[in-house]
Amino acid sequence: MAKPKVTPHQLTLQQAVIGDIYGHLEQELFEMFVDRLKSKGVNDLDETHVLQWQLEKLNELHLVNIDTIKAVAKTTGIAKKQLEDLITKAGYDVASDEYKRIGDAIGYEKSPNNVVEQALDGYLKQTFLSLDNNVNQTLITTNLGQGTATKTFQNIVRDIASEVITGIKTPERALQDTIYKWRQSGIPSGFVDKGGHKWSIDTYVRTVIDTTSARAFQAVRDEAANDYGIDTFVMSAHPASRAACAPIQGRTVTTRPQSFDDSQTGEHFEALAAHGYGKPGGTFGINCHHIKWAYIPGVNENTQPQYDPQEAIAKGNIQQQQRALERRVRQYKNELALAQKMGDQKGIDHYSQLIRDNQSALRQLIKQHDFLSRDYSREQVYSSNVTQQKPVKREPNKTEFKSAVKDSDITNAFEKTNIKEAFGDEYYSQFKSSISNLKDEQLRKLYANYGQDLDFANVSKTGGSYASTSTVHLNNSAFEGSDISEPMETVYHEIGHAIDSASMNDVFGKQLIPTGRQIKRRLAGKMYKFDEQASHLSADPAIDLGKTIKQDLFDYINHGEAKSPMQIGKKPRKKAEKAIWMEEDSKSWEGVEKIRQFIRDTKPTALENLRKYSNVSDMIEGTSYDVFDYPWNAGHGSKYWKDYGKEETEFFAEYTSSRAANPASLALIKEIFPNATKICDSLIDKMVEAKK
């Protein structure tokens, strides 16, 4: 059977992108609210002037409406292309796949008919209409103050004024808390459910996109079946399922009014009509992700996994817990962005902690239930480099960063590779924005010089992140960050490894250089000796970066009061020298014990801020001073460091990635390993110079 043109997973990702685009619209409006509310000195308000401030802000409603119109127009333009690609283009691929599959089974093939195109066009128009009526037209209105965006702005202004007048909070705190409160509620869409609840824009759009596109895809599959005269189907099966679907998922079903048994095969076909078919809470209803494919008795075989209905329902409830945690992570990320915009350190700390807590809860939930898997795309928030705010005019600043390396020099270097295809639009946009905004001159030169020499594997959802020579392999979390790394930090880490390898040819004219030592390897039962080779510039034996790393850590803890094991060397043979050596050796091991005590004492602090301490934890593990793996719950494991050059290459990658994306980690690395960082600086200079 031919490989399908489009997979369910690809469709899910496309659906999520459109939901994220509208989620960003909501976030963008709140950021615009903050800018308007903070203008003209909200911090100077008191009970006397707050009413005047309130009046001034309410007089700006027409400006809020204008900004909203611009934001909606921009979002609609971006989303329209995505919707067309999702429903009409991907939908036609779904139809083609189903026609091909049925044709292969029956023995003659048809092509998608006109009804398919008409159906997809109808679903596209229906989606546009739903979004226009319940999002676009409700956000903006010709009746000033009646759009949901201006109404939300009015409510925020009134709440701030009320809290300042009553003296409950300072103006700054009132602004911050009120923004957070309304961000949690979201800007309402025009949709109200049967219970009278108004849905936020984010919730409404995601539901419309997921449900309408799923119905469109199923409609064209059904049309393929209808074109071949088939009304029997097999339904997909999921370990976790809603109650309406659990009894029949994975089974053979029919769209006939009544269930029946096939006269030739004896197979039972359950009537979908008996299970709320198409109703909001029924099978194939709102947010249902099941699929049904045409099934020909006696020709096809049901290979769908079979799950106990009660277990599937129970797992479905657990999966809803995961979805709730994912929504919270997205919500807290948006609130963190607002806290950063308002300069609210209390809010930054609070929402950063909430993100970590909920991500930790997610990991625990997934660890406890093997049918769950981490889907980082559900925890993402859509970001865009396009802003509707007018550029702020700034006075010339002598300390403002100016680079001799143009942004285009860097991006053009990488665009000579396969990076766009490997990263995809969203991740490449994130990478391009990040690397263009670097304020590190030498790194900018390094990336501009070596970007074109690298190769990129396709970003994977679950695979690891690593570099094999000059090829960079990344997973989703490399871009999004984790408990131990900042967003983009792992991307720069693996690029650092790749450049460390690629630069060998420029500096030495060859990929490998001898270390001057021999290593033993057992092959086919025999022991052989090989000349040891260094494959990365940081592992050049002439600079001995590994020794410097160990010495830096020892000196940082012991302040020159003892010699390190490397400094005292081997035990001498002469008696007089031996006595001195033994005394120094004793002090040296006392120094090593101090390092171990430092690791134990610092661990509670490190665990509270692993993004700052994880790189140093890895390097401490590499020195072998500690007897335990993962000193501060981060590292590679002791076996990893046995191969030559590992400590050096990891330090170089961690140092460069910290320079690029993790200033807290960089400060700690420089504090503990001052001489090793100087060596890395000289290596970067050497790499850059080698390209001239």
Side-chain angles (χ1 to χ4, degrees):
M1 182 176 173
K3 183 179 179 181
K5 296 178 182 178
V6 61
T7 66
H9 177 65
Q10 290 170 326
L11 297 175
T12 299
L13 291 178
Q14 283 185 265
Q15 291 166 335
V17 166
I18 301 170
D20 290 344
I21 290 170
Y22 274 93
H24 176 66
L25 168 63
E26 197 171 16
Q27 179 72 6
E28 190 173 14
L29 293 177
F30 273 100
E31 291 182 2
M32 178 262 287
F33 294 164
V34 170
D35 286 337
R36 291 212 167 277
L37 293 168
K38 290 193 72 175
S39 65
K40 298 182 182 178
V42 68
N43 296 345
D44 298 329
L45 290 181
D46 54 27
E47 297 176 23
T48 305
H49 299 95
V50 71
L51 292 178
Q52 181 181 350
W53 174 85
Q54 179 181 355
L55 182 61
E56 289 175 355
K57 293 306 167 187
L58 294 179
N59 283 336
E60 294 180 8
L61 286 179
H62 68 290
L63 298 176
V64 172
N65 204 44
I66 290 172
D67 285 343
T68 304
I69 291 170
K70 291 179 182 178
V72 169
K74 181 183 67 179
T75 299
T76 303
I78 297 170
K80 183 178 180 181
K81 176 64 167 59
Q82 295 284 347
L83 277 169
E84 289 171 346
D85 287 346
L86 172 66
I87 295 180
T88 55
K89 292 184 180 179
Y92 195 84
D93 286 341
V94 168
S96 298
D97 287 340
E98 188 67 352
Y99 269 91
K100 171 69 174 169
R101 193 185 66 82
I102 298 173
D104 289 344
I106 290 179
Y108 65 93
E109 189 174 335
K110 294 184 175 184
S111 298
N113 58 38
N114 291 336
V115 176
V116 169
E117 292 186 9
Q118 292 170 4
L120 292 172
D121 187 56
Y123 275 105
L124 180 62
K125 289 178 179 176
Q126 176 188 331
T127 307
F128 278 143
L129 184 62
S130 297
L131 295 179
D132 191 55
N133 287 342
N134 290 303
V135 178
N136 300 349
Q137 296 304 319
T138 55
L139 278 171
I140 55 180
T141 178
T142 54
N143 296 321
L144 196 59
Q146 297 304 306
T148 53
T150 52
K151 279 184 178 179
T152 302
F153 184 77
Q154 283 177 299
N155 290 329
I156 291 172
V157 170
R158 287 167 181 162
D159 284 358
I160 294 171
S162 175
E163 292 196 338
V164 173
I165 289 172
T166 56
I168 296 174
K169 297 176 182 176
T170 65
E172 185 177 27
R173 190 75 259 162
L175 167 65
Q176 293 160 352
D177 290 350
T178 303
I179 287 291
Y180 298 143
K181 181 184 76 172
W182 283 94
R183 186 65 188 91
Q184 289 167 12
S185 301
I187 298 176
S189 68
F191 180 76
V192 182
D193 62 23
K194 292 182 178 179
H197 303 108
K198 290 185 177 182
W199 288 25
S200 71
I201 291 173
D202 183 75
T203 302
Y204 176 75
V205 170
R206 290 181 191 278
T207 302
V208 166
I209 298 300
D210 289 357
T211 302
T212 308
S213 57
R215 285 177 177 171
F217 302 146
Q218 191 57 61
V220 296
R221 291 190 190 98
D222 291 349
E223 180 55 31
N226 182 61
D227 210 7
Y228 280 101
I230 300 169
D231 61 6
T232 50
F233 304 84
V234 64
M235 186 173 168
S236 63
H238 308 152
S241 172
R242 66 169 69 186
C245 301
I248 56 170
Q249 68 165 351
R251 309 289 177 86
T252 48
V253 297
T254 182
T255 50
R256 298 180 193 180
Q258 302 294 329
S259 304
F260 71 95
D261 294 330
D262 183 70
S263 58
Q264 294 184 347
T265 65
E267 290 176 288
H268 179 75
F269 290 86
E270 181 74 9
L272 288 167
H275 298 271
Y277 182 46
K279 294 180 180 179
T283 185
F284 295 101
I286 292 177
N287 287 328
C288 178
H289 293 94
H290 280 98
I291 300 170
K292 67 180 193 293
W293 299 275
Y295 183 89
I296 307 163
V299 177
N300 294 130
E301 180 183 354
N302 183 5
T303 59
Q304 289 294 310
Q306 302 298 308
Y307 300 106
D308 178 82
Q310 294 305 314
E311 288 184 8
I313 293 171
K315 289 179 178 178
N317 293 331
I318 293 170
Q319 190 177 65
Q320 289 309 306
Q321 296 176 33
Q322 180 184 4
R323 297 290 173 263
L325 288 167
E326 291 163 345
R327 287 193 296 272
R328 287 180 201 163
V329 170
R330 289 201 308 271
Q331 173 189 324
Y332 295 141
K333 283 182 177 180
N334 282 325
E335 287 164 2
L336 173 61
L338 289 173
Q340 291 169 333
K341 187 172 186 64
M342 293 186 289
D344 176 20
Q345 189 58 50
K346 179 181 176 182
I348 292 170
D349 294 341
H350 176 65
Y351 290 113
S352 296
Q353 187 61 53
L354 285 175
I355 292 168
R356 290 193 293 270
D357 290 346
N358 280 269
Q359 287 177 329
S360 176
L362 265 171
R363 287 194 300 275
Q364 289 300 316
L365 185 69
I366 291 166
K367 186 177 180 180
Q368 293 166 4
H369 304 284
D370 56 7
F371 65 92
L372 298 177
S373 61
R374 188 83 178 265
D375 186 349
Y376 288 97
S377 66
R378 291 180 178 273
E379 302 168 41
Q380 287 179 229
V381 290
Y382 181 85
S383 61
S384 171
N385 296 324
V386 182
T387 175
Q388 69 186 55
Q389 303 300 323
K390 295 179 180 179
V392 178
K393 292 183 179 179
R394 286 189 265 179
E395 294 298 321
N397 187 341
K398 293 181 180 179
T399 62
E400 187 172 343
F401 176 79
K402 292 181 180 180
S403 174
V405 182
K406 297 178 181 178
D407 292 349
S408 58
D409 292 339
I410 305 174
T411 55
N412 288 344
F414 281 96
E415 286 176 2
K416 291 178 182 178
T417 70
N418 65 330
I419 191 169
K420 286 185 176 180
E421 296 79 9
F423 280 12
D425 291 343
E426 182 181 354
Y427 285 145
Y428 179 68
S429 176
Q430 184 180 347
F431 171 77
K432 187 176 179 180
S433 172
S434 175
I435 204 162
S436 297
N437 286 311
L438 282 178
K439 300 296 188 291
D440 189 311
E441 185 70 2
Q442 279 304 88
L443 284 189
R444 289 175 68 87
K445 290 179 182 178
L446 183 71
Y447 297 141
N449 285 359
Y450 282 91
Q452 63 192 9
D453 294 344
L454 309 186
D455 187 41
F456 296 88
N458 288 342
V459 176
S460 68
K461 178 181 176 182
T462 56
S465 292
Y466 60 95
S468 51
T469 59
S470 59
T471 301
V472 176
H473 303 255
L474 299 167
N475 59 23
N476 294 4
S477 63
F479 296 84
E480 297 150 12
S482 66
D483 285 351
I484 65 172
S485 63
E486 296 287 351
M488 295 300 297
E489 184 179 353
T490 303
V491 176
Y492 288 114
H493 181 100
E494 302 308 337
I495 286 176
H497 276 313
I499 292 176
D500 195 10
S501 173
S503 62
M504 290 288 284
N505 289 303
D506 294 289
V507 175
F508 293 109
K510 52 187 176 182
Q511 184 59 50
L512 300 173
I513 59 171
T515 67
R517 302 187 307 187
Q518 286 192 325
I519 53 175
K520 295 180 180 180
R521 291 286 188 270
R522 183 177 293 278
L523 298 173
K526 293 184 178 180
M527 191 68 73
Y528 294 89
K529 288 184 178 181
F530 298 92
D531 289 331
E532 191 177 57
Q533 304 282 330
S535 59
H536 292 71
L537 191 62
S538 61
D540 179 4
I543 60 174
D544 209 347
L545 176 58
K547 183 177 180 180
T548 305
I549 294 167
K550 292 181 175 68
Q551 190 63 48
D552 274 349
L553 178 59
F554 191 91
D555 291 342
Y556 177 75
I557 300 300
N558 290 280
H559 310 291
E561 296 174 358
K563 292 182 179 179
S564 69
M566 295 177 297
Q567 288 174 317
I568 64 172
K570 293 182 179 180
K571 188 176 181 179
R573 293 182 179 180
K574 294 181 179 180
K575 188 174 182 179
E577 295 175 355
K578 191 183 297 183
I580 297 173
W581 181 91
M582 291 182 67
E583 183 179 352
E584 289 180 340
D585 182 60
S586 177
K587 289 181 179 179
S588 180
W589 282 105
E590 286 177 6
V592 171
E593 182 54 39
K594 286 181 181 179
I595 295 174
R596 295 171 181 173
Q597 186 61 47
F598 163 73
I599 295 168
R600 292 190 291 269
D601 292 343
T602 311
K603 189 167 186 175
T605 302
L607 295 184
E608 290 179 0
N609 191 356
L610 278 175
R611 288 186 175 186
K612 176 180 178 180
Y613 285 85
S614 61
N615 287 326
V616 172
S617 177
D618 195 41
M619 294 322 305
I620 289 176
E621 183 187 70
T623 64
S624 301
Y625 282 135
D626 195 20
V627 293
F628 298 106
D629 291 352
Y630 313 106
W632 294 326
N633 287 19
H636 283 78
S638 54
K639 291 182 180 179
Y640 177 79
W641 307 102
K642 291 182 179 179
D643 290 338
Y644 176 82
K646 290 294 187 183
E647 186 173 15
E648 293 85 348
T649 58
E650 286 301 331
F651 188 91
F652 180 81
E654 283 161 350
Y655 176 60
T656 53
S657 62
S658 293
R659 279 178 66 163
N662 193 339
S665 171
L666 176 63
L668 189 62
I669 291 173
K670 285 186 172 182
E671 179 183 343
I672 298 177
F673 304 102
N675 296 300
T677 56
K678 289 177 182 177
I679 290 176
C680 287
D681 290 339
S682 66
L683 286 176
I684 294 172
D685 292 342
K686 182 181 288 188
M687 292 172 181
V688 171
E689 188 65 28
K691 276 290 187 182
K692 290 183 178 180

